[in-house]
Amino acid sequence: MACRGRRPEHGGPPELFYDQNEARKYVRNSRMIDVQTKMTERALELLCLPEGQPSYLLDIGCGTGLSGDYLTEEGHYWVGIDISPAMLDAALDREIDGDLLLGDMGQGVPFRPGSFDGCISISAVQWLCNANKKSDIPAKRLYCFFSSLYSVLVRGARAVLQLYPENSEQLELITTQATRAGFTGGVVVDYPNSTKAKKFYLCLFSGPSAFLPKGLSEAEDGEEATESRFTKDRARYRMARQGMVKKSREWVLEKKERRRRQGKAVRPDTQYTGRKRRPRF
């Protein structure tokens, strides 16, 4: 369960680790973008949201908005919170569609009760297990996070938090505080026998206990479906968007149409929409 080498959270607080250089990697590194997108896709599967209708979601540790891009493509609205100003600046530069908030999840999630239909988080929760100053007590920060998260979710909603626990004791600390805050659920482990593909997803239910989805394995990877799989129609729509060239006319028109569906003010389409302009010297 422990990862090789030095873990990022051992080097200092996240707002210092995720500086401009790290933010640049999340924007330009195609492998990091692909991994982040796949984990977000899996987290959204495990949320088991109603088919065919948009949801209002919270993204904890949203970073540069890579997870939010996928949520937008799937037709959902979202709000992201992150502790790193550099990562949020990169998200703003990318003109992502969600709303952003600078904040420390260890001090609680600052929204009204029942605000969100669900929550995802990619590679963030394990940071709460480290004390970067004397006043930081991991158990208290975890409980503050989970209790506030429980409050801002609609009753019966789910939270799916992908994380990298350092060891079994750390995972137990996280799940214990989530249970104290009122959540039920458990941990879903994908590809448990793989050293590279193994992923942990903490699936939390804010209402009565529900069926916990099974983790993926190499043998089950190509099988028809479990309860947490999407329909084929959604997959076709997703693949159609992935085939578009970014900044092309088709890509621009699709993005404008998506913003219209969200009720945002968008300029009308013309023959010049998506036109490439000559560089100025």
Side-chain angles (χ1 to χ4, degrees), residues 48-268:
C48 296
L49 296 171
E51 291 286 349
Q53 67 183 59
S55 298
Y56 191 48
L57 305 176
L58 177 63
D59 183 3
I60 301 290
C62 63
T64 60
L66 296 179
S67 298
D69 284 343
Y70 185 82
L71 297 179
T72 300
E73 289 177 6
E74 292 297 316
H76 301 295
Y77 308 105
W78 60 279
V79 175
I81 181 172
D82 200 281
I83 197 172
S84 167
M87 297 289 271
L88 293 179
D89 285 343
L92 291 173
D93 290 341
R94 296 178 58 245
E95 298 182 352
I96 49 89
D97 290 323
D99 296 318
L100 301 174
L101 176 69
L102 178 66
D104 178 6
M105 60 181 172
Q107 296 180 359
V109 183
F111 297 99
R112 291 180 178 180
S115 296
F116 297 98
D117 302 314
C119 170
I120 67 165
S121 177
I122 306 298
S123 311
V125 176
Q126 69 271 4
W127 284 90
L128 293 178
C129 296
N130 291 270
N132 295 303
K133 48 188 177 182
K134 290 184 178 180
S135 59
D136 285 350
I137 302 175
K140 288 187 176 181
R141 284 171 57 79
L142 282 164
Y143 178 74
C144 181
F145 165 64
F146 283 121
S147 59
S148 60
L149 177 61
Y150 187 91
S151 173
V152 302
L153 292 176
V154 173
R155 288 291 75 84
R158 295 188 180 193
V160 177
L161 316 175
Q162 185 275 329
L163 68 159
Y164 292 106
E166 185 173 3
N167 48 49
S168 57
E169 290 78 12
Q170 190 177 93
L171 185 60
E172 183 178 0
L173 171 64
I174 294 171
T175 55
T176 298
Q177 298 307 316
T179 302
R180 279 190 61 208
F183 283 108
T184 58
V187 178
V188 174
V189 184
D190 285 352
Y191 309 110
N193 299 320
S194 172
T195 55
K196 292 184 177 181
K198 187 176 183 180
K199 295 290 184 296
F200 292 82
Y201 295 88
L202 180 60
C203 298
L204 302 175
F205 312 137
S206 63
S209 297
F211 176 77
L212 190 66
K214 294 181 179 179
L216 301 178
S217 67
E218 307 245 344
E220 298 170 350
D221 196 20
E223 286 185 1
E224 281 302 324
T226 64
E227 291 187 2
S228 57
R229 292 284 296 275
F230 284 129
T231 66
K232 295 180 179 179
D233 290 336
R234 292 175 71 92
R236 281 201 298 268
Y237 172 75
R238 183 168 65 251
M239 293 304 295
R241 276 197 49 80
Q242 289 178 353
M244 292 183 184
V245 178
K246 193 170 184 180
K247 303 297 184 181
S248 66
R249 178 177 172 81
E250 293 77 12
W251 184 88
V252 172
L253 289 173
E254 198 282 333
K255 184 173 183 179
K256 291 177 71 175
E257 181 60 29
R258 187 169 71 243
R259 291 197 172 194
R260 289 191 185 101
R261 292 196 300 267
Q262 294 174 349
K264 297 182 179 180
V266 180
R267 292 182 179 180

Side-chain angles (χ1 to χ4, degrees), residues 5-27:
R6 186 175 177 83
R7 294 173 63 93
E9 58 267 28
H10 291 172
E15 62 268 29
L16 297 183
F17 177 82
Y18 290 105
D19 56 12
Q20 291 182 350
N21 291 331
E22 284 295 317
R24 197 175 297 116
K25 293 178 185 178
Y26 276 84
V27 173

